[in-house]
């Protein structure tokens, strides 16, 4: 027997209509390339979003056509998110930090018809314009007054593009499984792969992100997403915050600037901020250097890479800020786990609490996870066994865009293989120990490079650390520790190796240490291990 409930499509435009009705006076504050502090309300935002939808309607696009954005976090980018997807087109967010040849590849692969581009990113596109000739025109995210001289074809300022349009627009109703957004993963090898989100997955993911034991969003929150809108929909924040009526603060091009982040947090009374560990390093360093405390911030979600314990402690001890570590990936919309505490954990000692928060978190309803061995046999959640981490659920990709099953990441029984290696404890808290392809195999046993890196990062004299496997005649591979020293710090090989004793398994202690000025990163801030392995391919270990 069928139930008797209404068949209402879960569409992104429904979030906008709800937010408009219920929280019209809520503020959105942005730093932009043409305005150091722009401020308006949800009602203003949605009025302009409807104007933009009307303007896009004049371009002769068909449902499902891709319109790209290449922009920092600000209000115009948010308007683009809602107008593009709400109209039935696909918002293809492009990471401007990718290598130019990757950007060319993904624009052509996605067959983007128009690109909305931030003022500051125009020169980058001008350089590759002759290789992306399929793009019909460019909307520069600024007003007429700040419009640059540009060689980009059919370039128009955003404000002129929407200026004369009506602010009335009926959001079309369509199948909730229609594509809404596209984001390419910036893998370290091979061509980037497109992950195609749909309206249903986006709305369900936004509900999950807002829940009390996830990010606990409410209309009383003021949220600062430092995580970029161009990377995995800024972890779903543009949807979950509008669903719940949070005030939003966007840092624009200033996302790496500790001082601006600090000032925005204090002045706008930000209660929750989200970003990758590197960004918070900049903020904490700034606060430390000027002797200031974060007075308003209550909690932060940190993910995208492992969060060092020292960062969790610094936020807590110096700023009274709770760190919630999250894990996920582009293919997962991205939320998979989050490190909130469970019932019964109220009486943990501060150290016990840090050790839980230093894990990648526990499962969110909507994401099933399992760890399996090399033969695909499921392993226990016992805090000891490690294996390949696999997931499934309604916001996890079932295939890559235009790859027709050739992505190689799905199992025959319908799970997505994340490429991460993990341990899950009895309480369901998961820890990432490595990427499958980065695992160091020593004497037939796995050594978790990420776990060693996390521990090393806890040393005061270390700014950044990476661990890779190098060839060893007896053990096949042994770990080599690569360190960037903290500014002005003195650190010797034997000192750091001695310090590690007792903190990690004895046989995991690296065989040698090299000090470097720079560690290569991907466009999303992850260490390029493949590059490091090449660089140190002929490294002779002392043993
Ligand atoms: P991306 O698709 O670029 O967001 O990258 C996803 C990958 O980032 C995951 O597969 C992990 O390898 C890594 N990652 C994300 N969050 C964490 C975390 N909390 N700890 C360790 N690695 C993480």
């Amino acid at each position: 027997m069928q139930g008797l409930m209404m068949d209402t499509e879960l569409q992104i435009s429904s979030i906008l209509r709800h937010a408009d009705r219920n929280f019209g006076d809520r503020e959105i504050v942005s730093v932009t390339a043409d305005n150091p502090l722009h401020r308006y309300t949800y009602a203003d935002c949605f009025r302009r979003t409807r104007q933009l939808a009307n303007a896009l309607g004049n371009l002769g696009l068909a449902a499902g056509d891709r319109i790209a954005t290449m922009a920092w976090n600000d209000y115009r980018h948010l308007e683009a998110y809602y107008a593009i997807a709400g109209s039935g087109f696909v918002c293809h967010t492009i990471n401007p930090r990718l290598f130019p040849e990757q950007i060319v590849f993904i624009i052509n692969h996605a067959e983007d018809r128009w690109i909305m581009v931030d003022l500051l990113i125009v020169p980058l596109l001008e350089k590759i314009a002759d290789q992306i000739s399929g793009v019909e025109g460019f909307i520069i995210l600024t007003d007429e007054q700040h419009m640059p001289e540009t060689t980009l074809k059919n370039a128009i300022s955003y404000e002129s593009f929407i200026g004369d349009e009506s602010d009335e627009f009926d959001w079309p109703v369509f199948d909730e499984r229609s594509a809404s957004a596209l984001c390419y993963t910036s893998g370290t090898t091979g061509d980037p792969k497109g992950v195609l989100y749909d309206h249903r997955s986006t709305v369900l993911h936004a509900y999950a992100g807002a829940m009390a034991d996830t990010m606990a969003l409410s209309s009383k929150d003021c949220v600062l997403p430092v995580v970029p809108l161009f990377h995995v929909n800024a972890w779903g924040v543009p949807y979950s915050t509008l669903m719940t009526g949070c005030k939003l603060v966007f840092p624009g091009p200033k996302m790496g600037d500790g001082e601006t982040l600090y000032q925005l947090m204090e002045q706008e009374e930000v209660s929750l901020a989200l970003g990758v560990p590197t960004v918070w390093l900049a903020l904490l360093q700034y606060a430390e250097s000027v002797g200031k405390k974060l007075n308003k911030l209550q909690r932060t979600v940190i993910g995208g890479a492992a969060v060092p314990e020292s960062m969790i402690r610094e936020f807590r001890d110096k700023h009274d800020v709770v760190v919630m570590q999250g894990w996920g990936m582009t293919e997962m919309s991205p939320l998979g786990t989050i490190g909130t505490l469970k019932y019964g954990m109220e009486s943990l000692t501060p150290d016990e609490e840090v050790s839980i928060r230093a894990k990648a978190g526990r499962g969110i309803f909507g994401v099933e996870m399992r760890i399996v061995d090399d033969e695909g046999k499921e392993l226990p959640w016992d805090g000891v066994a490690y294996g390949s981490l696999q997931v499934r659920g309604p916001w996890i990709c079932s295939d890559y865009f235009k790859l027709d099953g050739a992505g190689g990441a799905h199992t025959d029984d319908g799970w997505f293989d994340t490429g991460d290696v993990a341990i899950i404890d009895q309480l369901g808290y998961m820890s990432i120990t490595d990427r499958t392809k980065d695992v160091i195999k020593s004497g037939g046993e796995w050594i978790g490079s990420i776990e060693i890196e996390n521990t090393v990062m806890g040393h005061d004299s270390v700014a950044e650390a990476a661990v890779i496997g190098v060839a060893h005649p007896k053990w096949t591979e042994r770990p080599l520790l690569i360190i960037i020293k903290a500014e002005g710090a003195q650190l010797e090989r034997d000192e750091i190796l001695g310090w590690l004793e007792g903190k990690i398994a004895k046989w995991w202690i690296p065989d040698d240490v090299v000090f470097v000025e720079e560690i290569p990163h991907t466009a999303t801030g992850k260490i390029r291990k493949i590059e490091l392995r090449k660089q140190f391919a002929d490294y002779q270990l002392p043993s």
Side-chain angles (χ1 to χ4, degrees):
M1 184 166 61
Q2 296 269 295
L4 290 171
M5 289 292 124
M6 286 188 187
D7 202 7
T8 308
E9 307 291 343
L10 297 176
Q11 282 184 249
I12 287 171
S13 54
S14 64
I15 300 178
L16 182 149
R17 283 191 284 110
H18 169 79
D20 203 4
R21 240 326 150 59
N22 292 280
F23 313 112
D25 59 348
R26 205 67 173 117
E27 267 189 322
I28 300 174
V29 178
S30 310
V31 177
T32 68
D34 57 20
N35 188 337
L37 205 62
H38 175 273
R39 191 181 291 276
Y40 72 171
T41 63
Y42 275 24
D44 299 325
C45 171
F46 301 143
R47 186 175 38 74
R48 286 164 52 87
T49 301
R50 292 190 295 271
Q51 286 183 288
L52 176 57
N54 278 317
L56 294 174
N58 301 332
L59 294 179
L61 306 171
D65 277 353
R66 273 75 65 203
I67 300 175
T69 62
M70 260 180 111
W72 308 111
N73 289 8
D74 67 26
Y75 68 102
R76 292 191 185 104
H77 202 174
L78 182 74
E79 291 166 11
Y81 255 61
Y82 276 91
I84 296 171
S87 304
F89 310 126
V90 175
C91 181
H92 172 205
T93 52
I94 302 176
N95 182 344
R97 294 185 183 137
L98 293 172
F99 295 118
E101 54 275 21
Q102 289 178 311
I103 296 177
V104 168
F105 172 87
I106 66 177
I107 291 173
N108 290 329
H109 190 265
E111 299 171 72
D112 293 327
R113 294 194 57 182
W114 280 74
I115 300 183
M116 296 194 183
V117 55
D118 197 280
L119 202 51
L120 302 172
I121 304 170
V122 168
L124 196 162
L125 274 183
E126 284 172 337
K127 286 200 194 93
I128 57 167
D130 59 338
Q131 299 169 70
I132 50 168
S133 52
V135 178
E136 290 158 45
F138 298 83
I139 300 159
I140 320 279
L141 297 169
T142 190
D143 53 22
E144 220 35 56
Q145 193 194 337
H146 293 89
M147 203 41 194
E149 290 256 332
T150 177
T151 51
L152 291 176
K153 72 179 171 198
N154 295 327
I156 180 168
S157 81
Y158 181 87
E159 297 303 327
S160 305
F161 185 62
I162 68 167
D164 294 333
E165 297 297 333
S166 156
D167 61 8
E168 297 202 2
F169 186 79
D170 279 334
W171 297 105
V173 175
F174 44 76
D175 181 354
E176 64 186 21
R177 291 183 192 269
S178 306
S180 58
L182 176 64
C183 181
Y184 281 73
T185 60
S186 52
T188 42
T189 49
D191 289 327
K193 295 186 196 123
V195 179
L196 193 59
Y197 310 99
D198 61 38
H199 285 256
R200 175 186 148 84
S201 70
T202 305
V203 173
L204 291 175
H205 178 265
Y207 271 121
M211 286 196 300
D213 268 348
T214 316
M215 292 192 268
L217 296 181
S218 89
S219 66
K220 297 182 198 83
D221 273 312
C222 173
V223 178
L224 172 73
V226 187
V227 49
L229 289 168
F230 58 70
H231 182 54
V232 216
N233 304 318
W235 301 349
V237 167
Y239 308 112
S240 51
T241 51
L242 264 56
M243 195 179 250
T244 45
C246 308
K247 173 176 168 181
L248 269 170
V249 180
F250 287 122
K254 298 281 192 177
M255 56 199 280
D257 176 1
E259 182 172 0
T260 306
L261 293 179
Y262 178 86
Q263 277 162 359
L264 284 173
M265 286 176 176
E266 291 296 296
Q267 179 184 311
E268 303 301 331
E269 308 201 348
V270 171
S271 56
L272 168 71
L274 307 93
V276 296
T278 333
V279 163
W280 299 140
L281 273 182
L283 174 75
L284 292 171
Q285 268 163 13
Y286 170 76
E288 181 73 22
S289 68
V290 291
K292 285 184 179 162
K293 180 177 184 291
L294 292 160
N295 298 301
K296 308 292 179 192
L297 192 68
Q298 297 162 6
R299 55 202 203 279
T300 159
V301 177
I302 314 183
V307 185
E309 261 194 46
S310 51
M311 182 175 282
I312 301 173
R313 286 182 196 277
E314 190 167 345
F315 265 118
R316 184 192 63 188
D317 299 342
K318 296 194 177 152
H319 303 283
D320 293 321
V321 173
V322 173
V323 169
M324 296 179 283
Q325 176 158 188
W327 163 84
M329 55 197 308
T330 309
E331 288 88 336
M332 300 173 62
S333 298
L335 296 179
T337 56
I338 191 134
T340 44
L341 301 185
K342 271 186 169 179
Y343 55 89
M345 289 185 168
E346 301 79 10
S347 52
L348 291 180
T349 65
D351 280 352
E352 286 167 340
E353 189 178 323
V354 168
S355 67
I356 302 247
R357 295 194 182 278
K359 299 188 179 197
R362 59 191 169 97
I364 294 170
F365 174 71
V367 179
E368 271 184 273
M369 54 179 185
R370 69 178 185 188
I371 42 174
V372 300
D373 66 13
D374 286 348
E375 277 74 51
K377 188 166 105 358
E378 189 165 356
L379 296 167
W381 292 18
D382 60 4
V384 180
Y386 14 134
S388 299
L389 180 60
Q390 301 183 342
V391 290
R392 65 178 178 192
W395 57 79
I396 289 156
C397 76
S398 59
D399 199 358
Y400 290 102
F401 186 45
K402 298 206 290 197
L403 280 194
D404 294 329
H410 290 85
T411 66
D412 293 340
D413 59 346
W415 292 71
F416 173 76
D417 198 322
T418 63
D420 285 325
V421 179
I423 304 180
I424 308 179
D425 69 18
Q426 292 91 336
L427 297 173
Y429 287 84
M430 184 271 285
S431 309
I432 301 281
T433 60
D434 229 320
R435 296 284 298 160
T436 321
K437 57 184 182 306
D438 295 335
V439 148
I440 303 167
K441 269 221 160 150
S442 178
E445 297 283 342
W446 281 358
I447 291 181
S449 65
I450 293 182
E451 220 170 310
I452 308 176
E453 287 158 12
N454 284 348
T455 312
V456 173
M457 289 289 288
H459 193 290
D460 286 345
S461 303
V462 175
E464 191 168 13
V467 175
I468 54 165
V470 290
H472 188 281
K474 180 170 176 198
W475 301 108
T476 320
E477 272 189 327
R478 287 294 302 156
L480 172 68
L481 172 59
I482 300 158
I483 287 180
I484 303 179
K485 286 187 222 171
E487 222 178 292
Q490 301 289 327
L491 186 65
E492 300 294 332
R493 168 191 189 276
D494 292 344
E495 184 188 341
I496 186 76
L497 293 182
W499 182 84
L500 277 174
E501 274 171 33
K503 295 191 173 68
I504 54 173
K506 200 158 188 278
W507 62 279
W508 281 26
I509 296 205
D511 280 29
D512 209 0
V513 184
V514 280
F515 295 98
V516 295
E517 295 295 321
E518 211 178 327
I519 289 179
H521 287 96
T522 67
T524 48
K526 295 184 214 313
I527 297 172
R528 282 170 69 88
K529 294 259 173 108
I530 199 161
E531 200 60 46
L532 281 178
R533 279 197 295 267
K534 255 192 238 155
Q535 208 175 320
F536 293 97
D538 300 323
Y539 191 83
Q540 293 296 319
L541 292 169
S543 48

